[in-house]
Amino acid sequence: MKRLSTIVILLCSALIAGAQPDTLRVLAVGNSFSRDAVEQNLHELGAADGLVIIVGNMYIPGCSLERHYSNAVDNVPDYEYCKISADGRRTVRPRTELAYALADEPWDFVTFQQVSHDSGRYETFVPYLPYLLDFARKIVPEKTKFCWHQTWAYDSDIVRDTFVIYDRDQTKMYNDIAEASRKVCDRYGLKLIPAGTAIQNLRKTVFGRNSITRDGYHMNNTLGRYAVACTWYEALAGRSVEGNDYAVPFMYDAQIPAAQKCAHLAVVRPFEVTNPGMDNPPANYDVAKIPSYTLPDPLTFANGKKVRNARQWMKRRRSELLSAFETEMYGRAPGRPEKLHFRLLRENKDAFGGLAVAKEVGIYFSDDESQYIRLLVLTPRDANGPVPAFLGVNFQGNHAITTDEWVSMIGPDEYSRYGRYTEYPRGNNARRWPIELILSRGYGVATFYRGDIDPDWDDSFTNGVHKLFYKKGQSYPEPDEWGTIAAWAWGLSRALDYLENDPDVDGSKVAVIGHSRLGKAALWAGATDQRFAMVVSNCSGCGGAAISRRAFGETVRTINNQFPHWFCGNFYKYSDNEAALPFDQHELLALIAPRPLCVASATEDLWADPEGQKIAAEEAVKVYRFLGYEGMVQYHTREGGHDIVAYDWNYYLDFADQKLSHFSVTK
Ligand code: GTR
């Protein structure tokens, strides 16, 4: 009997424990860095693990310990107090005092931190931190444990004065932060949340290599914020975060275990960087190891029926294929914005030593002119009328494509709209843009910087054009909506919208051109916008002209790992799963038909799979032929590496001489 009642009691207490999950109460006294850490994901990580986490964040932008201290002394109601309650609801209470938040809940943990640029300088913590600890101790219950939020180092290429403290060196900044956090925890008996170490670990992986911040110092809304929350979770809940199955919206699945592992390793080894060994799998360059594959037939409908004639291709099959590429790979982009408008910003009728008429044109997408393309348009000065032209995005800024002093430099005022910008010297990329050659052959050149449309790192689409087109309440593209490559392509179409109105350019004879990632964008622009009269793909490789199923050199897995922002969310499911793709890249090339198309490789550019690009071009030719066109696809291979040089341009110019006139698109 005694035994039975013991079992009953045990059962009852188990039931009660089951009905009332553990609750953890965490208050951060911080700034935007604590906002990155706790205002999303932390509660959800707990929920996925049977733990209720009540979160508070006392937020003032850029707030230092010194300011927290004076706020405490004077009881200043300067904080925005964000609270996530037990049921996950988020409320924001403006004009709040520190004392209010400290008394608001029986907090298990209260965390402090220093403003990011001083977070590696222990000498700036005192005397403010000890005062704040005394102040808080008088308000919070005895059980409350005080913690130190170790913030993270900046991206190495940010332009910010305070970075000078660390000689603009990320490693130095991290080491100083780690050391200062060790000291402060030892001295004041604080519990450490090693977010800075977790981020540094993540930067050693392929997922973090290409930046995990949205502006060089704040975490991006996906991987960065998630990794920091994982660190908080493991440090405070005392449970391993590895294997937690909270599915962060819009995050690439493969990033989740990486963030968890980096957070876990940071909690285990909080003051040193641990390389979690999560690099891309080694690339295959062995022809014998190319998987056996069957290429989908562009001339067969998805339902298995054959395309019978050119009309069926142009009217039905082409759009079927285009929409598959759109929803599964590049993402749907908006059309031409209603409020699109242009402004001639500068003009020089005697530029480039008398060779060119040069213009800089602003292309604006709405009444808000803060986001715009600065299009550089160069046309031969001695032209008798509108000329055919090459249009392409550039990597480093318009000023980098030429040494000509007239072209505007990207200045510090503009850095803020890119979030982050690496300064490139004037003419740095001129090798790739043989302007004089192009002009002397009777063609114009138009180009803009990639960051004008979307800066090229995974900032969770906070910089760039995406946000201009969100529906109400939307904060991230849906899985079938445009990534960065589709955005660049969209920008190329907007530039064409302008060129159609430029008196010096024949808008019906514009060839869209791009190298590498910008070659991917040129191909997608050519596929989606049939006004482009010719398309040039130079070493565009994976996600461009190379056959995905060959998995030779760069693969879908490696490109998604390193550049999760390039394609749409649906494309993630084809990592290591190329056979499931409803298309392959020869069909992207076929979407250009029957317009002239150039595809080029370089012998040493194995990463971009020269053979795969050649096969794609050959396969696309079959569609051209089906439509009754011969000789419209040109393929060349250059000796050498991943680049575009005058040698390549000569091929494109020769082909344009022969073919571009063929495909005049009438206005
Ligand atoms: C590489 C990327 C390629 C290619 C290249 C580039 O890192 O893996 O897909 O686009 O960058 O744009 O130069």
Side-chain angles (χ1 to χ4, degrees):
M1 192 60 201
K2 193 163 177 238
R3 213 162 144 201
L4 188 66
S5 57
T6 319
I7 291 172
V8 170
I9 290 166
L10 277 176
L11 256 175
C12 287
S13 49
L15 276 174
I16 291 165
Q20 287 186 332
D22 296 339
T23 301
L24 210 60
R25 294 176 169 79
V26 181
L27 175 69
V29 178
N31 52 33
S32 55
F33 275 49
S34 58
R35 173 173 272 186
D36 279 353
V38 302
E39 290 193 17
Q40 53 287 304
N41 303 326
L42 182 57
H43 174 89
E44 290 79 0
L45 282 165
D49 202 10
L51 184 62
V52 173
I53 307 187
I54 297 173
V55 180
N57 183 34
M58 286 294 275
Y59 167 80
I60 296 176
C63 197
S64 63
L65 282 172
E66 183 176 357
R67 181 155 177 205
H68 288 305
Y69 154 83
S70 55
N71 287 345
V73 172
D74 299 331
N75 204 27
V76 184
D78 261 4
Y79 294 86
E80 205 176 284
Y81 174 36
C82 168
K83 188 169 175 189
I84 295 154
S85 357
D87 60 3
R89 251 182 336 116
R90 187 176 187 280
T91 50
V92 177
R93 184 179 189 274
R95 293 180 300 283
T96 300
E97 308 82 1
L98 258 185
Y100 175 94
L102 288 165
D104 190 38
E105 288 278 344
W107 302 109
D108 296 290
F109 298 106
V110 171
T111 76
F112 294 96
Q113 62 183 65
Q114 178 56 301
V115 59
S116 65
H117 57 261
D118 276 341
S119 56
R121 300 173 69 212
Y122 176 83
E123 65 274 24
T124 68
F125 303 177
V126 280
Y128 314 112
L129 180 70
Y131 176 87
L132 284 161
L133 293 172
D134 284 348
F135 175 82
R137 182 44 76 213
K138 291 185 194 121
I139 302 174
V140 297
E142 211 174 308
K143 66 162 184 179
T144 306
K145 183 110 192 72
F146 293 127
C147 314
W148 183 253
H149 178 203
Q150 176 204 62
T151 55
W152 47 91
Y154 299 158
D155 280 343
S156 41
D157 58 351
I158 66 151
V159 189
R160 205 183 186 219
D161 293 347
T162 49
F163 201 19
V164 173
I165 301 172
Y166 309 100
D167 306 332
R168 298 192 178 280
D169 179 344
Q170 180 185 95
T171 307
K172 176 168 173 30
M173 184 170 183
Y174 166 72
N175 288 337
D176 289 1
I177 291 173
E179 199 36 50
S181 67
R182 183 206 299 270
K183 213 164 155 187
V184 79
C185 288
D186 283 355
R187 174 74 181 78
Y188 297 102
L190 306 180
K191 185 174 179 59
L192 179 74
I193 305 168
T197 299
I199 291 308
Q200 218 54 22
N201 293 346
L202 197 55
R203 283 171 165 146
K204 293 272 175 222
T205 73
V206 65
F207 306 100
R209 189 174 301 150
N210 211 27
S211 172
I212 40 182
T213 70
R214 54 186 195 273
D215 52 11
Y217 47 105
H218 290 103
M219 288 292 112
N220 72 14
N221 296 338
T222 47
L223 177 60
R225 284 182 161 185
Y226 175 71
V228 173
C230 284
T231 317
W232 278 63
Y233 185 70
E234 181 147 339
L236 299 184
R239 306 182 186 183
S240 173
V241 74
E242 287 191 280
N244 186 297
D245 61 7
Y246 160 53
V248 193
F250 302 111
M251 219 166 121
Y252 173 33
D253 279 358
Q255 295 174 330
I256 297 215
Q260 293 176 347
K261 187 163 184 192
C262 291
H264 172 73
L265 289 170
V267 175
V268 176
R269 281 190 287 276
F271 305 112
E272 63 187 279
V273 183
T274 312
N275 186 337
M278 293 173 121
D279 214 326
N280 264 332
N284 175 43
Y285 294 120
D286 181 350
V287 183
K289 291 199 181 126
I290 293 172
S292 67
Y293 62 87
T294 318
L295 285 182
D297 176 14
L299 295 171
T300 301
F301 284 101
N303 66 8
K305 294 214 170 106
K306 290 269 173 229
V307 179
R308 284 202 309 272
N309 49 45
R311 200 187 132 77
Q312 275 195 353
W313 168 268
M314 288 314 272
K315 291 266 168 260
R316 290 174 37 215
R317 174 58 179 152
R318 193 181 177 285
S319 45
E320 180 180 72
L321 209 40
L322 187 68
S323 98
F325 273 107
E326 221 164 32
T327 54
E328 298 300 296
M329 187 167 182
Y330 299 97
R332 286 184 293 114
R336 175 185 167 131
E338 229 172 83
K339 298 250 171 110
L340 186 78
H341 58 285
F342 319 113
R343 185 172 316 121
L344 181 62
L345 302 173
R346 301 171 68 221
E347 183 170 22
N348 180 354
K349 298 209 162 160
D350 191 18
F352 286 76
L355 267 184
V357 173
K359 300 183 193 95
E360 285 180 358
V361 178
I363 302 178
Y364 309 93
F365 316 116
S366 64
D367 292 335
D368 173 2
E369 295 194 344
S370 58
Q371 180 86 46
Y372 67 100
I373 291 174
R374 181 181 281 262
L375 185 71
L376 175 68
V377 185
L378 307 170
T379 48
R381 201 183 67 157
D382 58 6
N384 296 322
V387 294
F390 286 85
L391 166 68
V393 188
N394 65 66
F395 277 87
Q396 302 185 347
N398 295 346
H399 67 276
I401 73 149
T402 169
T403 49
D404 193 289
E405 297 271 315
W406 183 81
V407 178
S408 296
M409 287 288 287
I410 294 177
D413 288 354
E414 273 166 316
Y415 298 162
S416 61
R417 88 181 157 106
Y418 304 135
R420 190 179 81 179
Y421 175 72
T422 307
E423 281 170 313
Y424 299 101
R426 187 183 286 287
N428 200 43
N429 230 341
R431 196 170 48 82
R432 288 184 170 172
W433 295 85
I435 306 281
E436 269 115 59
L437 169 72
I438 303 166
L439 293 172
S440 71
R441 296 279 301 256
Y443 292 86
V445 189
T447 185
F448 62 87
Y449 172 54
R450 59 184 155 149
D452 284 0
I453 284 292
D454 192 18
D456 192 4
W457 67 88
D458 184 16
D459 65 329
S460 314
F461 302 104
T462 43
N463 299 318
V465 290
H466 294 82
K467 60 182 180 300
L468 301 180
F469 298 93
Y470 286 151
K471 294 184 285 284
K472 203 166 180 290
Q474 188 177 5
S475 59
Y476 199 87
E478 294 294 327
D480 66 345
E481 288 182 332
W482 53 342
T484 296
I485 287 173
W488 291 332
W490 178 89
L492 286 162
S493 286
R494 305 294 69 85
L496 181 56
D497 292 338
Y498 164 75
L499 291 175
E500 287 184 327
N501 292 292
D502 186 308
D504 298 322
V505 172
D506 180 348
S508 70
K509 292 196 182 78
V510 174
V512 63
I513 184 167
H515 167 62
S516 202
R517 67 195 70 184
L518 303 176
K520 309 181 210 296
L523 283 172
W524 185 236
T528 49
D529 190 339
Q530 296 187 75
R531 293 174 303 163
F532 286 112
M534 176 169 146
V535 180
V536 181
S537 150
N538 190 92
C539 299
S540 61
C542 180
I547 297 289
S548 304
R549 281 173 173 76
R550 285 168 51 86
F552 188 93
E554 188 170 32
T555 65
V556 174
R557 148 82 58 213
T558 52
I559 209 166
N560 277 333
N561 281 356
Q562 197 163 344
F563 306 103
H565 58 298
W566 278 2
F567 301 95
C568 72
N570 282 339
F571 194 53
Y572 298 156
K573 60 179 184 262
Y574 301 104
S575 290
D576 294 333
N577 192 19
E578 289 86 352
L581 279 163
F583 43 69
D584 213 314
Q585 297 308 100
H586 61 304
E587 295 178 295
L588 174 69
L589 303 187
L591 290 173
I592 317 284
R595 293 163 290 158
L597 166 67
C598 297
V599 176
S601 309
T603 50
E604 288 161 23
D605 186 18
L606 296 184
W607 182 242
D609 189 12
E611 184 63 19
Q613 303 190 81
K614 183 159 177 250
I615 294 172
E618 285 165 358
E619 290 294 321
V621 164
K622 295 180 185 164
V623 174
Y624 279 78
R625 201 162 283 152
F626 180 79
L627 301 177
Y629 290 84
E630 288 291 341
M632 300 304 283
V633 180
Q634 174 185 262
Y635 176 82
H636 84 266
T637 310
R638 173 179 42 76
E639 291 291 319
H642 187 65
D643 208 349
I644 177 170
V645 293
Y647 178 92
D648 303 300
W649 277 95
N650 272 310
Y651 269 92
Y652 307 142
L653 289 161
D654 289 349
F655 201 60
D657 284 351
Q658 293 168 40
K659 309 286 180 184
L660 188 52
S661 54
H662 239 72
F663 273 88
S664 289
V665 186
T666 38
K667 279 189 198 169

